[in-house]
């Protein structure tokens, strides 16, 4: 095997360090991974077997220098496996999962390497390290200790077996969910069944049906979360119920895509692994190396918020009764009734706002405009640079002085090969040590209308676009020496903070007036509507807070089980019901944002025992929004401060220290409570 026969073995060939996906065949991935494994194993062996006394340079720095090829190949592949997972790519992913797990364990559990790290850590005060070097040494010591490097040989063997099996199970969970999401997409034969949808939404549904060989029909594809944007508009209650039933059935039907036995095994093995590592539960294991510190701290926050959220949701449900002519409020009806109440009491019809949210204008004149005003960066689309899929667009991002900052890729539309939800990932990370610039990707799942039809976004989709771009900015702005600290490589319960902050610009007058213009007439959104939107910030927050908190509590409940408790759970639905009753979020009309069988964040993503991080980060976010408002909002001075003291440091210092440096104090919870209407 050579670079000439496998393009993954060479440095990316396109400008900005972008790989040329046109030259990469699926069969190239596994051989390239094997070569990457081999190279890093050799590099780590060289460090671990060195006869020289350990120094920062010959141990920690050498470790940072290792695995360059493997990291490059992994970022290239996992971008595709999440956004364009063809059957061939899925087959590679399944083969790769245990190999990646074994390789990681071979490094993190290496007693020779751990011995050198321990010796350096013990002598850290006398090594003359810079702040970033010292923090890197601290993180490597914690990482290896947390991974189990201090265990005996027998325990390490079992740990390796557990990690390998878990990697396979999480891959299986995601594969099952993608397949069941596609299988359960709801087919409607009559246009009348979809009364209430816009022409653009109907166009997207017709296109989805045609793509499945169902000309003349309409297909509503499912979103990752329990609800669905169409539920707010559909006038036919039977149609709403069909969509919600399909959404909630994913992964929990007997058959080849049943995720219930998969998730039960994941829970059991995670609990066993935590016990092996000396922790009472997986949640205790995870939170011990997060800013939260313990599951008790997380539970305390969630319980503090759950009671007022449930109270507000009950009040909201009472208000919905009149819209439904006194009928009981079902989960399938909540969004529809809510929009009717919103239209009646606040004079806002969010569905009618879609013509003001044309996707290209939101991107260019909203998301990019705000970033330019705040940080001075500019964007130029590079039609000459191909991405991994025809729908993915590449933009070159430059600093205010014209210097190259990185590349940004936007992949907006849903497809059957793309996993649900929205996310950011990196194809390349910034590192002064390696001389690399960032390439970041934002993925959304917006239905794609027929050619020639504009893409009109819902207000939720506008929010998602701004949110994910906040992650992108975090990845683009990092200015760190070591790749370990690049971009979004921060504590899980801190990573959502920058993305949530970026949502604040959606309603900022100078931003909203720039992008919210009617797709046909160019007329700006009426200022009275804007004022009502701003005034409605706490509207429906009882429901929104409750559905989120319910999901966060389910995550914590599953992962707070001790090993013997986890082994005793056999009924997923019964466990969920008991957990939600425990925290008082068991209202049938307000289902959890994710039920366990399709809770990809925690059973196939990186958020196990960490879904609380959104609300944990929102404490910082709301406090930061208050700071921006107190200091003049969208100004270059504010942007520079936020970029330099928070976004730019990546993971190179303790995030709460970085926050105190930015804010001048710790965050207060009061702005969050006010934002969500949770003040008594």
């Amino acid at each position: 095997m050579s670079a000439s026969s496998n393009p993954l073995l060479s440095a990316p060939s396109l400008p900005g360090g972008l790989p040329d996906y046109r030259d990469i065949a699926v069969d190239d991935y596994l051989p390239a991974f094997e070569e990457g494994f081999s190279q890093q194993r050799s590099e780590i062996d060289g460090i671990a077997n060195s006869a020289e006394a350990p120094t920062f340079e010959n141990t920690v720095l050498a470790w940072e220098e290792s695995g360059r090829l493997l990291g490059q190949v992994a970022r290239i592949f996992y971008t595709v496996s999440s956004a364009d997972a063809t059957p061939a790519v899925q087959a590679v992913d399944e083969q790769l999962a245990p190999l990646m797990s074994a390789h990681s364990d071979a490094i993190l559990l290496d007693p020779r390497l751990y011995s050198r790290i321990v010796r350096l850590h013990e002598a850290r005060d006398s090594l003359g390290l810079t702040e970033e070097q010292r923090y890197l040494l601290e993180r490597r010591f914690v990482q290896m200790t947390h991974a189990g490097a201090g265990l005996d040989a027998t325990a390490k063997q079992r740990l390796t077996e557990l990690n390998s099996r878990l990697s396979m199970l999480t891959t299986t969970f995601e594969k099952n969910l993608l397949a069941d999401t596609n299988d359960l997409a709801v087919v409607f034969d009559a246009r009348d069944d979809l009364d209430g949808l816009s022409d653009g939404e109907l166009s997207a549904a017709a296109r989805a049906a045609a793509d499945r060989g169902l000309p003349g029909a309409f297909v509503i594809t499912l979103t990752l979360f329990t609800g669905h944007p169409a539920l707010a508009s559909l006038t036919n209650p039977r149609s709403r119920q069909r969509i919600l039933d399909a959404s909630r059935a994913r992964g929990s039907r007997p058959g080849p895509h049943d995720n219930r036995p998969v998730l039960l095994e994941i829970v059991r093995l995670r609990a066993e692994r935590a016990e092996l590592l000396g922790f009472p539960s997986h949640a205790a294991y995870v939170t011990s190396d997060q800013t939260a510190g313990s599951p008790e701290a997380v539970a305390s926050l969630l319980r503090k918020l759950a009671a007022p959220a449930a109270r507000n949701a009950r009040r909201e449900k009472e208000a919905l009764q009149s819209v439904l002519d006194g009928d009981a409020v079902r989960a399938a009806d909540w969004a529809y009734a809510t929009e009717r109440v919103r239209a009646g009491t606040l004079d806002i019809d969010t569905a009618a706002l879609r013509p003001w949210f044309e996707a290209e204008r939101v991107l260019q004149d909203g998301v990019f405009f705000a970033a330019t005003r705040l940080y001075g960066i500019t964007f130029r689309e590079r039609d000459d640079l191909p991405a991994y899929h025809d729908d993915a667009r590449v933009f070159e991002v430059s600093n205010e002085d014209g210097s190259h900052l990185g590349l940004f890729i936007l992949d907006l539309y849903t497809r059957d090969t793309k996993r649900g939800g929205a996310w950011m990932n990196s194809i390349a990370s910034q590192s002064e040590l390696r001389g690399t610039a960032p390439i970041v990707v934002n993925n959304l799942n917006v239905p794609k209308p027929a050619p020639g039809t504009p893409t009109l976004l819902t207000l939720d989709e506008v929010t998602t676009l701004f949110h994910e771009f906040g992650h992108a900015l975090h990845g683009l702005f990092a200015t760190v020496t070591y790749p370990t600290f690049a971009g979004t490589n921060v504590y899980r319960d801190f990573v959502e903070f920058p993305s949530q902050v970026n949502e604040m610009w959606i309603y900022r007058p100078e931003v909203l007036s720039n992008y919210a213009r009617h797709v046909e007439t160019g007329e700006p959104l009426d200022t009275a509507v804007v004022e009502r939107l701003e005034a409605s910030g706490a509207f429906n927050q009882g429901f929104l807070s409750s559905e989120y908190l319910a999901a966060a509590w389910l995550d914590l409940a599953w992962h707070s089980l001790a090993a013997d408790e986890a082994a005793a759970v056999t009924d997923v639905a019964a466990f969920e019901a008991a957990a939600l009753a425990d925290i008082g979020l068991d209202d049938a009309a307000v289902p959890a944002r994710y039920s366990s069988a399709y809770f990809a964040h925690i059973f196939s993503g990186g958020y196990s025992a960490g879904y609380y991080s959104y609300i944990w980060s929102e404490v910082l976010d709301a406090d930061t929004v208050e700071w921006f408002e107190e200091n003049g909002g969208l100004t270059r001075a504010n942007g520079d401060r936020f970029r330099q003291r928070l976004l730019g440091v990546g993971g190179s210092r303790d995030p709460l220290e970085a926050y105190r440096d930015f804010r001048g104090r710790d965050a207060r919870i009061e702005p969050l409570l006010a934002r969500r209407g949770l003040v008594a």
Side-chain angles (χ1 to χ4, degrees), residues 77-108:
F77 173 74
Y78 286 118
T79 295
V80 171
S81 69
S82 60
D84 194 19
T86 63
V89 169
Q90 287 183 334
V92 172
D93 204 2
E94 287 185 82
Q95 295 177 69
L96 191 57
L99 300 177
M100 287 291 286
S101 175
H103 180 75
S104 176
D105 282 348
I107 295 174
L108 295 179

Side-chain angles (χ1 to χ4, degrees), residues 286 348 444 582 664:
V286 169
I348 299 172
L444 280 76
D582 175 43

Side-chain angles (χ1 to χ4, degrees), residues 13 121 161 208 247 276 298 302 315 351 362 498 633 655:
S13 58
H121 187 257
E161 293 168 358
S247 177
L276 188 66
V298 175
L302 297 183
R315 292 175 179 170
V362 174

Side-chain angles (χ1 to χ4, degrees), residues 653-666:
R653 67 183 298 191
D654 180 274
L656 296 185
E657 287 183 8
Y659 187 80
R660 283 189 286 270
D661 180 45
F662 162 74
R663 188 68 166 102
R665 58 166 173 76
D666 289 327

Side-chain angles (χ1 to χ4, degrees), residues 220-237:
I220 301 297
T221 56
L222 301 177
T223 55
L224 182 59
F225 51 89
T226 298
H228 192 286
L231 298 179
S233 305
L234 288 169
T235 61
N236 189 324

Side-chain angles (χ1 to χ4, degrees), residues 167-194:
S167 70
M168 295 176 66
L169 288 168
T170 54
T171 300
T172 299
F173 187 97
E174 182 171 335
K175 181 182 178 183
N176 285 348
L177 178 54
L178 179 60
D180 222 25
T181 298
N182 290 334
D183 287 351
L184 283 166
V186 186
V187 180
F188 293 94
D189 295 321
R191 186 186 183 100
D192 289 348
D193 290 335
L194 298 178

